[in-house]
Amino acid sequence: MDPSCTTSSVNGFYNFLNQGLDDLDRSLLSHDFMSTQFLQTVLSSLRSFHSQLTILVQKLHLPIGEKWLDEYMDESSRLWEACQVLKSGASGMENYYSTGANIASSFDGYHHLNPQLSRQVIRAITGCQREIIALEEDNKSLMETRIQPLSLCFNENMSTVSKFNGFNGFRGVLYAMRNVSSLLLMILLCGLVYCWPSSMFCQGGYEGNAIFGSPFMVSITRLQQRMANEIGQIGGQPGILLYEFREAKTTMEELKLEMERFLEYESEVDIQERIERLRSCFGLLRCGVESIIGQLDDFFDEIVEWRKKLLDMCTHR
């Protein structure tokens, strides 16, 4: 996305959103679904959209003391709260990937399986599986108590064109950003916290909306539908959808089956490849999640800076 020529006007901002959403749609096709790499791209887009929104506000010469500032502050507060939940979900994975790495390390120094090691690994994997269940239950509770009140849904209650032209078009821009932010936050929450596939990304589209430009609304609807289709293709089960999380979970379950097969048949099993894959899966999960947490921390700093900048602008104009 090139913001240099897109933030000087309301129409230019809609074009910027349209381009960014199309870029995300292409990114979804070029990465593993819900991978940390894709989610970092989503988060980068969210940050970029809000940064350009702040720049646009400064160019619109909005009246001091009017309701537009309250509306902006409300939206940035909603964004802050949702990102706090995202960070809680991401940070909650630390015990999981640390335990997984310890399971892989428990094979160090062993060239052959023995019953004692197998039972030890099975117990550790069973404990880790219980951690997954507890983590997802905690995250489900987070979604119910802290995210549902934020109403991260697509608001299709359209008002008059004149209302959305208010404050030199800013009210329409903020409405558009609220819907874009809702979609991107739900993508991030599904990956990092918890997802109810049956109820997410299923809202109606905006193709016939007369208030905003068609390209922008088509782009947001296409990304929304693409997410719903991709979730359906991976089984549509509730829980944490992060790709690296699911891969580590599957690899760990496969290793446990191998251990149980060894105990049952007492035959030699070559598990070295599975151990290396387990080590790799948890390593990738850790690196990806830590990168996202770092990006969220930077985003918190930016939100504070944007709010202060607009308050200062209204105070010193």
Side-chain angles (χ1 to χ4, degrees):
M1 290 182 292
D2 179 13
S4 61
C5 59
T6 58
T7 55
S8 60
S9 70
V10 168
N11 286 337
F13 184 78
Y14 287 134
N15 290 335
F16 178 68
L17 289 181
N18 179 51
Q19 179 186 344
L21 290 168
D22 286 346
D23 288 346
L24 278 179
D25 190 59
R26 286 188 289 271
S27 178
L28 180 58
L29 295 174
S30 61
H31 294 109
D32 291 313
F33 180 61
M34 285 295 190
S35 66
T36 53
Q37 191 173 3
F38 172 65
L39 294 185
Q40 286 179 70
T41 303
V42 173
L43 186 51
S44 293
S45 297
L46 186 63
R47 293 170 64 187
S48 179
F49 291 157
H50 279 274
S51 175
Q52 298 309 315
L53 173 65
T54 308
I55 293 171
L56 176 64
V57 170
Q58 296 174 79
K59 293 178 180 292
L60 291 178
H61 303 292
L62 299 174
I64 297 174
E66 294 284 352
K67 194 177 179 182
W68 69 266
L69 183 60
D70 292 337
E71 293 175 4
Y72 175 89
M73 291 298 176
D74 288 345
E75 179 58 21
S76 62
S77 294
R78 190 181 76 119
L79 184 65
W80 177 280
E81 178 63 17
C83 287
Q84 288 285 356
V85 174
L86 283 171
K87 185 174 179 181
S88 293
S91 300
M93 293 186 197
E94 182 178 355
N95 284 342
Y96 172 57
Y97 56 65
S98 295
T99 301
N102 289 338
I103 290 171
S105 297
S106 65
F107 289 93
D108 292 349
Y110 288 90
H111 300 288
H112 301 284
L113 276 178
N114 61 63
Q116 181 181 358
L117 175 61
S118 298
R119 293 188 185 94
Q120 175 188 331
V121 171
I122 289 171
R123 283 194 300 270
I125 292 176
T126 300
C128 196
Q129 290 171 328
R130 284 196 292 265
E131 283 186 25
I132 293 172
I133 294 170
L135 174 62
E136 292 192 321
E137 283 300 312
D138 288 345
N139 286 1
K140 181 181 178 182
S141 178
L142 274 178
M143 293 291 287
E144 291 170 343
T145 59
R146 294 178 61 182
I147 294 300
Q148 287 184 1
L150 298 179
S151 298
L152 295 182
C153 58
F154 301 101
N155 182 4
E156 299 182 54
N157 295 322
M158 304 305 295
S159 185
T160 62
V161 174
S162 60
K163 177 180 178 180
F164 281 86
N165 284 335
F167 302 121
N168 298 334
F170 174 73
R171 182 163 277 151
V173 165
L174 195 61
Y175 172 91
M177 269 306 308
R178 181 179 178 88
N179 283 292
V180 170
S181 295
S182 292
L183 175 59
L184 301 192
L185 287 169
M186 288 312 303
I187 292 172
L188 291 164
L189 288 162
C190 278
L192 296 170
V193 185
Y194 195 85
C195 182
W196 289 281
S198 61
S199 61
M200 293 179 171
F201 309 110
C202 298
Q203 293 87 346
Y206 302 92
E207 293 91 332
N209 196 293
I211 292 181
F212 302 116
S214 295
F216 160 65
M217 300 317 276
V218 168
S219 294
I220 194 172
T221 300
R222 182 168 55 240
L223 182 58
Q224 170 195 354
Q225 292 173 345
R226 180 99 63 193
M227 290 299 304
N229 292 338
E230 292 288 342
I231 288 175
Q233 288 181 17
I234 62 171
Q237 295 299 312
I240 299 170
L241 298 189
L242 185 65
Y243 174 78
E244 288 84 355
F245 182 91
R246 291 183 286 117
E247 284 291 291
K249 180 180 175 183
T250 299
T251 303
M252 190 168 56
E253 289 168 351
E254 291 172 349
L255 179 61
K256 183 180 178 182
L257 288 174
E258 289 289 352
M259 297 293 96
E260 290 171 342
R261 193 174 295 118
F262 170 77
L263 289 176
E264 182 176 357
Y265 299 108
E266 296 185 359
S267 58
E268 280 297 320
V269 179
D270 184 9
I271 59 165
Q272 205 58 43
E273 184 176 336
R274 291 196 187 279
I275 295 167
E276 291 307 313
R277 176 164 170 73
L278 185 71
R279 201 188 308 273
S280 174
C281 283
F282 279 105
L284 290 172
L285 175 63
R286 178 174 192 149
C287 289
V289 168
E290 288 180 348
S291 294
I292 289 172
I293 290 173
Q295 202 173 343
L296 284 168
D297 286 336
D298 291 341
F299 197 16
F300 290 131
D301 292 340
E302 290 168 1
I303 293 172
V304 171
E305 181 183 345
W306 300 334
R307 288 168 64 95
K308 183 177 184 300
K309 186 174 293 185
L310 293 190
L311 284 171
D312 288 347
M313 183 183 76
C314 291
T315 303
H316 297 121
R317 186 186 293 175

